[in-house]
Amino acid sequence: MVLTKAGEHLVPYVDEVLCSLEKLRSFENDLSKCREDLQIGVGETLLCYQLPGILREFHRRAPNARLFLRSMNCFDIRDELCSGTLDLGLLYEDVGGFNDHLVSCFFGKYPLVLVAAPEVQKACPDFITPDRAIPVPFIINESQCIFRLMFEDYLRQKRITLDHTIELWSIPKAVFSPVRFCSL
C-alpha cells in the first residue's frame, strides 16, 4: 500500500491531531493527572500582572504538570502557535494570520493607558486634538510590540507626531527597576 500525494500532505496534520489528542487525554476531568510539559507564550505585562493568581491555581490543580512560560510579543506567540512549538498562547490583540487549526478564545478586555509625568500634562494637556506635534518622547518597547503598534496607529489617524521614540526591551522592568541618574 502506498500513500497518494494528497495522503503524504495529510500525514503531518494527522500526526498533529493525534499528538493534541494525547495531550488532551492527560487532562481528562482531573487536572491532577496532568503530567505533561506545557509550552506557553505570554505577553509580558499579562505575565507580570494577570497570570500570577492563575498560575498559582493551575499549580494547585495540576501539581505534576510542568509549565514553561516564555515572555514574548504577540506576533512571535502567533508564529510559534502556528508552527506547533507552543501549546498555548496568551495575546492582547488579534494579530491575524492564525492557521485554521488554531482556536482562539476571548478572555477579557483591558484598557490601553497612556502614562506621562505631571509636567507633560501641563505642557501638552491632551493627545486627542488632531494635526499637532507634541514635543515629548515616546518610551515603549520593541517595534513589534502590539501596544506600540496600536498607539502609533492612533497617532497616525490623528496626525499627531511626538518628538522621538525611546525603545526599551522590558516595560515592567524599566518602570519598576530602581534607576539612578548621575551628573558629572
Side-chain angles (χ1 to χ4, degrees), residues 13-32:
Y13 298 106
V14 171
D15 288 342
E16 191 174 316
V17 168
L18 292 175
C19 181
S20 295
L21 284 173
E22 194 57 39
K23 285 182 180 181
L24 285 173
R25 280 192 193 106
S26 72
F27 286 107
E28 296 177 354
N29 292 329
D30 184 4
L31 285 177
S32 66

Side-chain angles (χ1 to χ4, degrees), residues 42-56 69 71 90 92 107 110-113 115 140-141 145 147 168-177:
V42 185
E44 182 177 30
T45 50
L46 276 174
L47 182 59
C48 293
Y49 304 114
Q50 300 294 323
L51 250 50
I54 294 168
L55 293 173
R56 185 173 28 260
L69 301 172
S71 174
L90 301 171
Y92 292 102
F107 66 88
Y110 302 94
L112 183 61
V113 179
V115 178
I140 191 69
N141 47 348
C145 166
F147 303 127
L168 304 169
W169 66 274
S170 172
I171 294 295
K173 290 179 181 156
V175 172
F176 296 109
S177 294

